[in-house]
Amino acid sequence: MNIHFTEQELAFREEVRAFLKAELPADIAAKVRLGKKLTKQDHQRWQAILHRRGWYAANWPLEHGGTGWGVVEKHLFEEECAAAGAPRLISFGVNMVAPVIIRFGTPEQQAHYLPRILDGSDWWCQGYSEPGAGSDLASVKTRAVRDGNHYVVNGQKTWTTLGQYANRIFCLVRTDPEAKPQAGISFLLIDMDSPGISVRPIITLDGAHEVNEVFFDDVRVPLENRVGEENDGWTCAKYLLTHERTGQAGVGISKAALAHLKAIARHEVIDGRPALEDPLLRQRIAEVEMRLMAVEMSTLRILARAQAGGTPGTESSILKITGSEIRQAISDLARRVLGPHALPFLADEMVLEHEGEPLHADYSVTPAAQYLNLRKLSIYGGSNEIQKNILAKAQLGL
């Protein structure tokens, strides 16, 4: 098994680096490096740049406007983007619903929705989780009842990330309440401006408005907005989740965050010396870095197998668990290095345009908020506890 990059792959890495150096806006990169908030316009601007280069839909086949890249090219692209400070793509459209439409959608659905995802006409959000159905997704209760050429949808979704910006939502809805839980679900594409939809913000621990509740009150959805067969939405749901978990190891993001942590530790002082020279801190950073190196090697090993025609198995659960723990550990160390300077964070300072003096240093503004925000990593995309159950059953036979 060869886990070394070929000459062609190394040349591709240099091509990506040159593109990022020339095209990535400096103001957006500065926000990403300091962990400051990106606006909807920031995301749209970066998407437009990638679309012009033909590099926005890395996971799509060429015939639908994708890059046609292999797994190694996608890995290298994501790693270089993270290193350069490029925003992580909002996945709901390009990397989640689009693969479902490509795999299960009708030609009409593909012709309508895919170009709009590519050019940014549509901003998608995800309607999976409900108050009683998160990790146990098969328990969704949002109902869709046929009425002529429409479904009438009633129910509630929650933890809808960036739903306040979306004009489309893909939803799991229950179309047969008498069937077994996974057998009575359908997959619908719904316009967010449909009468009967309301969005309410949920303010998270870091004071941010990132997630929402979405309510459906007699919302009429045309039958042609269903993807796949009625009551077979679970097939779409499982397929989408495999794409959601792809890349959740976040190796590139963790490498960039680790480099930022070391930079902070060189500036901060403990007992009159740079914090990076503190033996206990050095030990903790080394432990995280060794885990990260192990995850990177595992990722490359899985990529090599995929290139040879294999498919990822339960390794994706291992990468999800370990990758989320590493990112959380790095954010924890960053706030510990700053000590009391990490305690206060002001909402106004979370945007790059803030003109006031930082309470300590520019890099001290965001670590506390990031630490709180990254608690979500071990929950979404299938909680780490669920991933451990998968490993226990599939690998250990328990």
Side-chain angles (χ1 to χ4, degrees), residues 142-161:
T142 295
R143 287 280 282 125
V145 179
R146 277 209 188 203
D147 181 18
N149 293 325
H150 288 76
Y151 289 105
V152 179
V153 179
N154 284 280
Q156 176 189 355
K157 299 294 179 179
T158 192
W159 308 122
T160 309
T161 303

Side-chain angles (χ1 to χ4, degrees), residues 346-358:
L346 304 176
D348 288 347
E349 291 186 318
M350 295 295 290
V351 296
L352 195 63
E353 293 78 12
H354 175 65
E355 295 179 351
E357 288 293 325

